[in-house]
């Protein structure tokens, strides 16, 4: 794969996002030994939000064998490396670029927590970051989306997010400045959030002072999905098929949810919406 010299080397990117040394070593082996020339044609498509999803799917199909999805990781990080120039051209601060691309490091660490070893399993999600569709701004991630035909900003809550009121308020202020400065043409009137952290069930499990409930209360809950089981992986950082009796009990919320599950209950997820108030 021919690398475009746009001011940021692969190793510099890896170090900027604090990528794990073990993963860096494996990526450098791939870069030195694998002939990924044929994969090159998918990269531009993955860097465009209109074509990113299909280009990711095409690249995944192209890699008939991809141990631990490290070839996909290598290619998506190559996209991230090339995006550095686009961020610079738009004048977007470097810290937003770094915080956004650190999703790769975070996801690999989550794999280690859940499975006891490091690998990459989130290529189906991270094509959004490498197509400039999602940005990490302070505590939260912000995505260009639509709701009922209108432009909105979709919110995502990273696993390491500080949900204190001060942190969330600061993130919203920074995001309003970000979109008002770098994406003036994108007119939006609402924020949306779809997450297990929005589930109404949590109201009976958490104290009134909970940061999670304070975040929920910013939104009008539009719909609930009690069948959604993704919260098990996010809350407990274990494989989704873990027996309930074996779920970790390191935090009070883990203990409460584990007890709820053992009694036949569930948490699910919910979709909420809030007005943008500039």
């Amino acid at each position: 794969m021919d690398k475009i010299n746009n001011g940021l080397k692969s190793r510099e990117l890896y170090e900027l996002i604090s990528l794990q040394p073990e993963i860096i070593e494996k990526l450098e082996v791939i870069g030195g030994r694998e002939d990924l020339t044929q994969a090159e044609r998918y990269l531009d498509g993955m860097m465009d939000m209109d074509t990113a999803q299909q280009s990711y799917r095409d690249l995944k199909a192209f890699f008939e064998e991809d141990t631990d999805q490290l070839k996909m990781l290598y290619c998506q990080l190559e996209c991230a490396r090339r995006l550095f120039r686009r961020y610079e051209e738009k004048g977007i601060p470097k810290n937003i670029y770094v915080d956004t691309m650190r999703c790769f490091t975070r996801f690999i660490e989550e794999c280690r927590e859940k499975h006891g070893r490091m690998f990459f399993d989130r290529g189906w999600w991270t094509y959004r970051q490498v197509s400039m569709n999602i940005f990490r701004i302070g505590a939260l991630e912000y995505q260009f989306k639509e709701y009922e035909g209108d432009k909105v900003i979709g919110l995502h809550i990273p696993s390491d997010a500080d949900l204190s009121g001060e942190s969330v308020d600061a993130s919203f202020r920074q995001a309003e400045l970000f979109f008002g400065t770098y994406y003036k043409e994108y007119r939006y009137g609402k924020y949306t959030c779809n997450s297990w952290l929005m589930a109404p069930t949590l109201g009976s499990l958490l104290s009134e002072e909970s940061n999670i409930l304070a975040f929920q209360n910013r939104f009008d809950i539009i719909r609930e999905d009690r069948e959604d089981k993704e919260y098990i992986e996010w809350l407990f950082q274990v494989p989704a098929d873990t027996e309930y009796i074996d779920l970790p009990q390191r935090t009070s919320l883990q203990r409460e949810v584990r007890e709820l599950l053992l009694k036949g209950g569930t948490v699910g997820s919910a979709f909420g919406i809030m007005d943008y108030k500039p």
Side-chain angles (χ1 to χ4, degrees), residues 78-120:
E78 174 61 15
C79 291
R81 186 188 72 82
R82 297 180 187 187
L83 277 185
F84 185 72
R85 175 59 60 85
R86 292 191 192 173
Y87 271 73
E88 284 191 324
E89 290 172 348
K90 290 184 73 69
I92 298 174
K94 184 177 179 179
N95 69 293
I96 291 181
Y97 171 83
V98 173
D99 289 347
T100 299
M101 299 309 165
R102 276 186 176 153
C103 67
F104 291 97
T105 311
R106 185 174 74 250
F107 292 151
I108 291 167
E109 198 60 38
E110 288 171 2
C111 280
R112 172 155 55 184
E113 178 73 17
K114 284 189 286 188
H115 303 283
R117 66 185 187 88
M118 288 186 290
F119 60 97
F120 183 56

Side-chain angles (χ1 to χ4, degrees), residues 150-186:
D150 295 324
K151 293 178 179 179
V152 299
I153 296 293
L155 298 177
H156 302 284
I157 308 169
S159 59
D160 61 351
D162 174 2
L163 287 184
S164 66
E166 296 83 358
S167 177
V168 172
D169 287 341
S171 180
F172 279 128
R173 288 194 300 269
Q174 294 164 27
E176 289 165 8
L177 178 62
F178 174 87
F179 289 107
T181 302
Y182 307 110
Y183 290 93
K184 293 179 182 178
E185 73 285 357
Y186 190 81

Side-chain angles (χ1 to χ4, degrees), residues 5-145:
N5 183 4
N6 64 0
L8 185 68
K9 306 294 185 183
S10 295
R11 182 75 186 213
E12 291 174 326
L13 169 62
Y14 301 163
E15 293 176 353
L16 270 178
I17 65 175
S18 303
L19 201 64
Q20 296 86 347
E22 177 183 327
I23 296 296
I24 292 177
E25 183 178 346
K26 291 179 178 181
L27 292 178
E28 290 185 336
V29 169
I30 289 173
R33 294 183 181 175
E34 295 284 345
D35 180 7
L36 298 177
T37 305
Q38 296 302 312
E40 177 72 36
R41 65 182 184 269
Y42 302 109
L43 299 196
D44 284 345
M46 206 153 47
M47 294 167 63
D48 182 330
M49 68 176 71
D50 292 330
T51 57
Q53 184 181 58
Q54 187 59 52
S55 295
Y56 159 73
R57 290 172 175 169
D58 291 343
L59 183 57
K60 184 174 174 61
F62 172 76
F63 289 139
E64 295 179 355
E65 294 185 8
D66 187 8
T67 303
D68 289 344
Q69 296 188 42
L70 292 181
K71 291 180 186 177
M72 178 62 72
L73 175 62
Y74 181 90
C75 288
Q76 290 197 347
L77 286 173
E78 174 61 15
C79 291
R81 186 188 72 82
R82 297 180 187 187
L83 277 185
F84 185 72
R85 175 59 60 85
R86 292 191 192 173
Y87 271 73
E88 284 191 324
E89 290 172 348
K90 290 184 73 69
I92 298 174
K94 184 177 179 179
N95 69 293
I96 291 181
Y97 171 83
V98 173
D99 289 347
T100 299
M101 299 309 165
R102 276 186 176 153
C103 67
F104 291 97
T105 311
R106 185 174 74 250
F107 292 151
I108 291 167
E109 198 60 38
E110 288 171 2
C111 280
R112 172 155 55 184
E113 178 73 17
K114 284 189 286 188
H115 303 283
R117 66 185 187 88
M118 288 186 290
F119 60 97
F120 183 56
D121 67 348
R122 221 67 62 85
W124 57 269
W125 178 257
T126 47
Y127 67 76
R128 295 166 175 83
Q129 279 83 354
V130 301
S131 62
M132 297 181 77
N133 183 231
I134 286 182
F135 301 91
R136 175 78 182 261
I137 306 174
L140 304 172
E141 291 177 326
Y142 297 80
Q143 181 181 8
F144 297 113
K145 298 195 79 172

